C-alpha cells in the first residue's frame, strides 16, 4: 500500500513548508523508503512558466521540460531525484482537463461541479504520480495558506483521500508560524491555533504540527500546541532557524519526527543512515574561506528569483571549503551610474544569470566587459551566455551595434537571434526550448576538463540562440565553442581559454546541482574565484 503524506501551511506563506516537505522526504529516504513529492499550486496558471520570477520566485525547469514551482527544486536537491512535470499540479491544469472532458461530452449530461468532478481530477492526478513513480510514500505539499479560497478544492480532495486510502496510509502535517514578540520575547501560538481551527473547519484534523519559530519552542509551548491542536505532545515538532537549510531534516529527526511518522504509518522501523547528509551539512556550515560573488541581474530585489543558482554556487562552495557571499546587484545601476562598475573590482567573481527582455541588459554587458578586461572569473548562464557573446562581438570582434534581437528589433549585427523554430510561435505557455537536451563537449577544452565527458545532458529554457552567421568571426577572434547540440546547429558553451576563468552556457547547470554533487560549471567557477583570491595559478581541474 502506498502511503500519502499531506503538508499544509498556516498563518502566512513562505513559512518553510517546502523545506519541511523536503525534510520529511529525506527522513524517510534515509530509512530506506522510496519517496516522491508533489507540489500543488492553487493558482489558475497552468504552469509557473508564465509567471514573473520577481513576484513568485524562480521558475524551476524539470528534466522533461516542465516549468514548475521552485519547491520542486528543493525536493530534487534534498532527495537527489529527478521529478517529472506531473509533480506540479495547478488549478489551471485541473480545470483545463475537466473542461476538456466536459466539451468532449464525457460527463453524459451531468452538471459538472467542483465536488466531485474537480476534486476527483485532483485525486486522480495525485494517484497518477503515485503509480508512475512506483514509490512507497507520496508527499503532497499544498501551496498557499489554509483558508485561501482557491485552495479549498485541493484541501477537500486530500480530506477525501483519508476516507479512500485509510487512516494508516494517510498523514496530515500542518506547518505554521509561531512568532516571538520582540518586546517580551514571548512565543505566541494563537495564530497557529487559528490556522489549525481553519483546517478543522474544512474537515482535516492534523496528525502532526510543525511550528516554525526562530528558536526551539519551549516545553510549555509544545504542551499548548498539543492541547489546542488535539494531538499528542510527541506529535509537535519545531523547525527553528539553523545556519543552513540543509540542517532542517537533521533537527526534525533529532526531535523524533522520522520515527513518529513511521510508527503512525505502520512503516517497519529501520535505522536512519544520515552519514552522507550530515557530512555535507558539516562541510557547508564550516567553511575555511569566503568567496564574494557579484550577481548582476534584473530581479536582484528577490533572492528567490535565483534560488537554484544560489544553491548551485553554495554546493560548489561547500566542495572547496568556501562560504559563498552573494551581492545581488541591479544591472540598471551600471547604466545610471557608469562609475559604479569599478565596485566590481572588490569581488572574487562576476555572475550574470538568466533573464528576459531589454531592461538592464546594457548594465549586464558592462559587467561582463569588466570581468573580461580585468580577468575576474566569470560565469554566464543562458541570458548571461547570450550577452557575453554580444559583449565579445562588440568589443573584441569590433562588430559595432551587435545585439540580440530580443533587445533590439533590427540591430546592425544580430549575433543573438530567435531560433528558427520559434518564429511561428505566438502562444506563450510552454513553448520555449525546454528541458534536458544532449550537449556534445569538445575534447581538450575547459568544458571537457570540468565535465570529464564528451556528452552531457543539461536543462534549457530559451527562445534565442547564437546566430550561426556569426560563428566564424567570433571564433576567429578567440571565442571557443566547446559545447554544441548534437546536430551542430546550436552553440551551448562559450569559453575564453586565455582567461583565468571565463565560461558561459546556454543551458542552466543549476537545475541539476545537488548537495555533495555540485554541477561542474558552478563548481569550476567557485573554485576559480577562490584560487585566484588565494593567488594560486589557474586551476586545471
Ligand atoms: N531571454 C533569453 C531567451 O529566451 C534567455 C532566457 C533565459 O535566460 N532563460 O533565449
Amino acid at each position: 500500500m502506498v502511503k500519502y503524506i499531506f503538508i499544509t501551511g498556516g498563518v502566512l506563506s513562505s513559512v518553510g513548508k517546502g523545506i519541511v516537505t523536503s525534510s520529511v522526504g529525506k527522513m524517510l529516504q534515509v530509512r530506506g523508503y522510496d519517496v516522491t513529492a508533489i507540489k500543488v499550486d492553487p493558482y489558475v496558471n497552468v504552469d509557473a512558466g508564465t509567471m514573473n520570477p520577481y513576484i513568485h520566485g524562480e521558475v524551476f525547469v524539470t528534466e522533461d521540460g516542465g516549468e514548475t514551482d521552485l519547491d520542486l527544486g528543493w525536493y530534487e536537491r534534498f532527495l537527489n531525484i529527478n521529478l517529472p512535470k506531473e509533480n506540479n499540479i495547478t488549478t489551471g491544469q485541473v480545470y483545463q482537463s475537466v473542461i476538456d472532458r466536459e466539451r468532449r461530452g464525457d460527463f453524459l449530461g451531468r452538471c459538472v461541479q467542483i465536488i466531485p468532478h474537480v476534486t476527483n481530477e485532483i485525486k486522480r492526478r495525485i494517484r497518477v504520480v503515485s503509480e508512475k513513480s512506483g514509490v512507497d510514500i507520496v508527499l503532497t505539499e499544498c501551496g498557499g495558506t489554509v483558508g485561501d479560497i482557491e485552495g479549498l478544492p485541493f484541501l477537500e480532495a486530500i480530506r477525501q483521500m483519508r476516507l479512500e486510502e485509510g487512516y494508516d496510509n494517510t498523514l496530515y502535517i500542518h506547518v505554521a508560524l509561531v512568532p516571538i514578540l520582540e518586546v517580551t520575547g514571548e512565543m505566541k501560538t494563537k495564530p497557529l491555533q487559528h490556522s489549525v481551527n481553519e483546517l478543522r473547519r474544512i474537515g482535516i484534523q492534523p496528525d502532526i504540527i510543525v511550528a516554525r519559530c526562530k528558536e526551539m519552542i519551549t516545553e510549555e509551548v509544545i504542551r499548548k500546541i498539543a492541547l489546542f491542536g488535539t494531538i499528542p505532545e510527541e506529535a509537535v515538532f519545531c523547525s527553528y532557524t539553523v545556519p543552513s537549510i540543509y540542517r532542517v531534516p537533521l533537527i526534525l529527526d533529532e526531535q523524533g519526527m522520522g520515527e513518529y511518522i513511521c510508527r503512525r504509518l505502520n512503516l517497519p522501523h529501520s535505522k536512519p543512515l544520515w552519514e552522507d547528509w550530515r557530512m555535507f551539512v558539516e562541510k557547508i556550515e564550516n567553511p575555511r574561506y569566503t568567496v564574494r560573488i557579484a550577481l548582476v541581474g534584473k530581479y536582484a530585489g528577490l533572492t528567490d528569483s535565483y534560488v537554484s543558482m544560489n544553491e548551485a554556487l553554495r554546493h560548489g562552495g561547500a566542495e572547496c571549503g568556501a562560504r559563498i557571499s552573494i551581492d545581488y546587484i541591479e544591472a540598471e545601476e551600471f547604466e545610471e551610474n557608469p562609475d559604479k562598475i569599478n565596485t566590481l573590482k572588490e569581488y572574487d567573481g562576476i555572475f550574470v544569470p538568466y533573464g528576459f527582455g531589454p531592461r538592464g541588459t546594457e548594465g549586464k554587458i558592462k559587467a561582463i566587459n569588466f570581468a573580461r578586461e580585468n580577468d575576474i572569473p566569470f560565469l554566464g548562464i543562458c541570458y548571461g551566455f547570450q550577452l557575453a557573446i554580444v559583449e565579445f562581438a562588440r568589443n573584441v570582434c569590433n562588430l559595432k551595434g551587435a545585439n540580440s534581437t530580443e533587445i533590439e528589433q533590427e540591430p546592425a549585427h544580430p549575433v543573438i537571434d530567435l531560433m528558427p523554430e520559434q518564429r511561428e510561435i505566438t502562444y506563450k505557455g510552454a513553448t520555449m526550448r525546454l528541458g534536458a537536451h544532449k550537449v556534445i563537449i569538445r575534447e581538450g577544452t575547459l568544458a571537457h576538463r570540468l565535465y570529464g565527458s564528451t556528452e552531457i545532458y543539461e536543462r534549457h529554457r530559451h527562445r534565442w540562440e547564437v546566430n550561426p552567421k556569426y560563428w566564424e568571426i567570433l571564433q576567429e577572434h578567440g571565442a571557443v565553442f566547446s559545447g554544441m547540440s548534437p546536430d551542430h546547429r546550436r552553440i551551448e558553451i562559450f569559453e575564453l581559454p586565455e582567461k583565468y576563468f571565463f565560461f558561459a552556457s546556454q543551458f542552466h547547470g543549476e537545475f541539476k546541482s545537488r548537495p555533495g554533487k555540485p554541477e561542474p560549471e558552478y563548481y569550476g567557477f567557485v573554485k576559480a574565484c577562490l584560487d585566484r583570491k588565494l593567488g594560486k595559478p589557474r586551476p586545471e581541474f
Side-chain angles (χ1 to χ4, degrees), residues 350-509:
I350 296 173
F351 178 68
V352 179
Y354 76 95
F356 294 88
R359 184 169 74 79
T361 48
E362 285 304 320
K364 292 182 191 173
I365 292 169
K366 284 196 165 109
I368 297 165
N369 177 259
F370 192 86
R372 191 178 53 75
E373 289 192 339
N374 294 285
D375 206 9
I376 299 172
F378 167 76
L379 180 65
I381 299 289
C382 206
Y383 216 16
F385 156 88
Q386 296 172 358
L387 296 175
I389 295 280
V390 172
E391 191 282 324
F392 191 80
R394 285 185 192 173
N395 302 318
V396 179
C397 307
N398 221 359
L399 296 169
K400 295 273 166 286
N403 215 340
S404 162
T405 55
E406 180 173 1
I407 301 165
E408 208 182 314
Q409 245 179 15
E410 285 181 2
H413 293 287
V415 289
I416 303 295
D417 204 5
L418 205 57
M419 289 183 271
E421 60 271 37
Q422 287 283 331
R423 289 186 206 281
E424 307 307 317
I425 294 175
T426 50
Y427 223 62
K428 285 277 181 281
T431 53
M432 288 191 230
R433 178 171 179 249
L434 290 167
H437 293 278
K438 196 196 270 187
V439 176
I440 306 293
I441 307 268
R442 180 153 24 118
E443 279 181 55
T445 60
L446 172 59
H448 188 239
R449 291 196 296 281
L450 283 174
Y451 285 90
S453 169
T454 52
E455 255 187 48
I456 57 170
Y457 283 85
E458 290 284 347
R459 300 187 195 173
H460 297 74
R461 183 170 185 252
H462 66 119
R463 293 187 203 281
W464 274 265
E465 66 177 351
V466 185
N467 187 343
K469 289 188 194 123
Y470 290 91
W471 290 5
E472 211 181 301
I473 181 159
L474 291 162
Q475 283 170 306
E476 277 166 13
H477 285 82
V480 169
F481 299 139
S482 49
M484 304 289 292
S485 62
D487 58 6
H488 253 258
R489 270 218 47 241
R490 190 159 288 140
I491 291 169
E492 292 274 9
I493 304 175
F494 163 37
E495 58 183 72
L496 293 176
E498 77 279 12
K499 294 287 168 196
Y500 195 88
F501 187 94
F502 191 102
F503 195 89
S505 69
Q506 181 61 77
F507 56 79
H508 295 252

Side-chain angles (χ1 to χ4, degrees), residues 165-182:
E165 301 292 329
Y167 179 79
D168 287 349
N169 301 319
T170 49
L171 182 89
Y172 300 109
I173 301 178
H174 189 59
V175 186
L177 181 75
V178 171
I180 299 183
L181 281 194
E182 230 177 275

Side-chain angles (χ1 to χ4, degrees), residues 243-247 250 274-291 311-324 514-518 523 526 530:
S244 96
I245 252 171
Y246 299 100
R247 187 170 280 283
L250 294 173
W274 280 117
E275 280 67 35
D276 291 350
W277 190 261
R278 197 184 302 273
M279 229 163 64
F280 173 76
V281 175
E282 297 293 331
K283 232 177 0 193
I284 204 164
E285 287 181 3
N286 297 294
R288 277 187 64 193
Y289 311 101
T290 297
V291 163
E311 294 310 306
L313 290 168
R314 291 199 179 110
H315 300 161
E319 286 325 290
C320 350
R323 185 179 82 89
I324 306 294
R514 304 279 163 84
K517 239 173 58 190
Y523 169 74
V526 171
L530 178 63

